[in-house]
Amino acid sequence: AKVKTRDAVQKTVASTLLGAYKTVKKTPDDFYRALLENNTTHFTPDELERLLAAFKRVTNDRLQASHFYEIVEVEMGWSNLLLRKQLFKAFDFDGHGDINFTEFAEGYSTMLRGTVPEMLEFAWRVYHIQGPPDLLALTDMYTTLRLALAGLEEVRKMQGPSAGGSAEDTRFPERTARQILESVVGERQAPLTKEEFNQMILKHRRLVDCLIPGFELIPQDPLHRAAESGEA
């Protein structure tokens, strides 16, 4: 009897909490209005409005992981599930397992017009697969880079030269990823700290150019050019 009572209480509490969560849960329009008051993207109000319309054609709530994976495969040509999961993780900044409109707008903004700090954080989240949150294994870097090159090769096969993106040879992603990493890290085996990763990305743009097929990941501003040339 005590067990049944306890289970009943737990179900009631869970139901109450879920109901309260649904009651206060923000809609895409709520997030949109908040962005108009405090715009944390690089989009204009008109652009945010068009982005909201596109978002709402997909969902009136939040993007779930499975739906996001489908969109990435259709729109970006990435068929590898791990790579799509890593991109989802970069968008899902609060780690709640879904993407609200603010996260969608901020992630998309970073992909198209991100500043140097935004791009570095985005790249870290895409590259970091597992392990301590403050360290990045070189095996993670190789895996993500190889999959990104393979994804770009898929796009190029469908779209031809118009696909844009990285200038790297994507026909043999395993070999190209290995050559890129060897040229950057040499014989190093130890994982990277975030600071080391940031410096590496700033000096070796080729590590991120292939992550977003068809787009310039970050504007070539003076700070970035200076860092790439070793002047920063």
Side-chain angles (χ1 to χ4, degrees):
K2 290 183 179 179
V3 173
K4 290 183 178 181
T5 301
R6 184 188 62 192
D7 291 344
V9 170
Q10 289 177 342
K11 288 181 180 179
T12 301
V13 171
S15 177
T16 302
L17 291 175
L18 180 60
Y21 172 71
K22 290 181 177 180
T23 300
V24 301
K25 194 173 184 181
K26 293 182 179 180
T27 68
D29 290 285
D30 293 330
F31 287 109
Y32 165 70
R33 285 190 289 269
L35 280 175
L36 290 181
E37 294 180 5
N38 180 28
N39 192 348
T40 52
T41 75
H42 302 288
F43 294 130
T44 66
D46 287 344
E47 289 172 327
L48 283 173
E49 185 176 5
R50 292 195 292 272
L51 196 62
L52 175 67
F55 186 88
K56 290 172 68 174
R57 283 197 293 269
V58 179
T59 178
N60 286 317
D61 189 12
R62 304 179 183 213
L63 282 178
Q64 302 302 312
S66 58
H67 203 170
F68 182 85
Y69 301 156
E70 293 176 6
I71 293 173
V72 171
E73 183 170 15
V74 172
E75 299 296 331
M76 297 180 63
W78 288 359
S79 62
N80 184 272
L81 181 58
L82 177 58
L83 189 59
R84 287 179 284 164
K85 286 182 176 180
Q86 291 305 108
L87 187 61
F88 178 85
K89 186 169 66 174
F91 271 76
D92 180 24
F93 197 77
D94 61 14
H96 286 170
D98 53 27
I99 297 173
N100 62 46
F101 179 70
T102 296
E103 292 172 322
F104 180 74
E106 290 177 345
Y108 196 36
S109 171
T110 296
M111 288 170 59
L112 294 179
R113 305 172 186 174
T115 64
V116 170
E118 290 168 346
M119 182 276 291
L120 292 174
E121 178 63 27
F122 189 88
W124 174 271
R125 293 172 67 83
V126 173
Y127 266 115
H128 194 281
I129 299 175
Q130 58 186 354
D134 57 341
L135 292 175
L136 176 63
L138 295 182
T139 52
D140 282 4
M141 287 199 70
Y142 168 76
T143 297
T144 303
L145 184 59
R146 172 177 60 81
L147 294 178
L149 289 166
L152 182 52
E153 176 64 14
E154 293 181 62
V155 175
R156 286 175 171 171
K157 287 180 178 178
M158 293 187 293
Q159 300 181 7
S162 63
S166 171
E168 304 294 342
D169 184 352
T170 56
R171 293 172 298 171
F172 307 100
E174 294 87 354
R175 184 181 67 187
T176 302
R178 184 172 60 253
Q179 290 173 343
I180 292 175
L181 275 186
E182 287 177 352
S183 70
V184 172
V185 303
E187 299 296 321
R188 176 175 178 144
Q189 299 294 324
L192 300 171
T193 65
K194 183 172 284 191
E195 182 179 355
E196 291 173 326
F197 173 82
N198 289 349
Q199 291 300 317
M200 186 178 295
I201 294 296
L202 287 172
K203 293 180 180 179
H204 302 280
R205 174 71 177 268
R206 61 199 304 204
L207 289 169
V208 293
D209 278 345
C210 62
L211 285 174
I212 309 298
F215 292 109
E216 286 290 334
L217 186 61
I218 185 171
Q220 289 290 331
D221 54 74
L223 173 60
H224 198 147
R225 286 197 296 269
E228 287 184 322
S229 65
E231 299 172 2

